[in-house]
Amino acid sequence: MNIGEFNVRNGRLLGSIATRTIDLPRLGLRPVESDNDRAPVFEIIALNVGNRWVQVGALWEAVAKHTTGEVFLQGSIDDPGLAEPLPIALFGSDEDGYRVAWRRPQRRDDFGPAIRSGRAGDPSGDQGGFGDSTAGSDGGVMGDEQPVDDEIPF
């Protein structure tokens, strides 16, 4: 989803970002001069309420993983006034300007998918991985098992 743009004005890259809850009407991209390969390409700066430019983020160069090999900028905007950092990507060039895109990050599922295929050699053939239930229709234990003794403390 496109949420803003940056264009060259008076020799500087200036722009804005706006969403339903965020309005950053005066942003700038300040080039970072560094020999470090891991340094960002730009600092993202914003005009604060005191009319001063403050850093609110940074952008690094990235290459699309798809066959296009497109080079773009990615980073985030963060400020104590935001609930969480806003991840952004910029597509375009210094000469033609940049479109600011945002995409909700996909959360990693630490437990894996909810539906798993049956394991090889699983005699139950059950696709859920837990086998058949041992509870009867009344909720009690069914089968030849001994009754549960609720009088024994754990």
Side-chain angles (χ1 to χ4, degrees):
M1 169 185 344
N2 287 330
I3 60 172
E5 62 181 28
F6 284 88
N7 293 296
V8 176
R9 286 183 276 204
N10 298 326
R12 295 188 172 142
L13 279 167
L14 300 173
S16 63
I17 291 177
T19 70
R20 188 183 66 78
T21 59
I22 297 171
D23 187 18
L24 300 169
R26 297 192 62 194
L27 295 172
L29 300 181
R30 181 170 49 202
V32 173
E33 295 181 22
S34 174
D35 293 331
N36 188 332
D37 292 340
R38 295 182 180 200
V41 177
F42 291 105
E43 291 178 342
I44 304 169
I45 55 176
L47 202 57
N48 72 6
V49 295
N51 212 28
R52 292 179 31 203
W53 290 100
V54 295
Q55 183 179 353
V56 294
L59 296 167
W60 285 262
E61 192 172 88
V63 178
K65 294 180 184 177
H66 302 289
T67 58
T68 64
E70 180 182 11
V71 176
F72 63 98
L73 301 172
Q74 72 176 10
S76 65
I77 293 176
D78 200 1
D79 182 80
L82 297 175
E84 59 186 89
L86 177 67
I88 58 172
L90 277 66
F91 298 90
S93 66
D94 291 0
E95 298 81 27
D96 299 329
Y98 291 97
R99 295 174 325 280
V100 181
W102 170 84
R103 186 179 76 188
R104 186 178 307 281
Q106 293 181 331
R107 301 286 184 221
R108 189 177 129 209
D109 183 1
D110 291 335
F111 295 107
I115 299 173
R116 302 183 203 291
S117 60
R119 292 190 177 114
D122 182 2
S124 71
D126 181 78
Q127 297 298 310
F130 292 109
D132 294 330
S133 175
T134 58
S137 60
D138 64 351
V141 178
M142 64 180 199
D144 295 337
E145 292 85 6
Q146 296 293 323
V148 177
D149 186 355
D150 289 333
E151 300 297 320
I152 300 173
F154 288 96

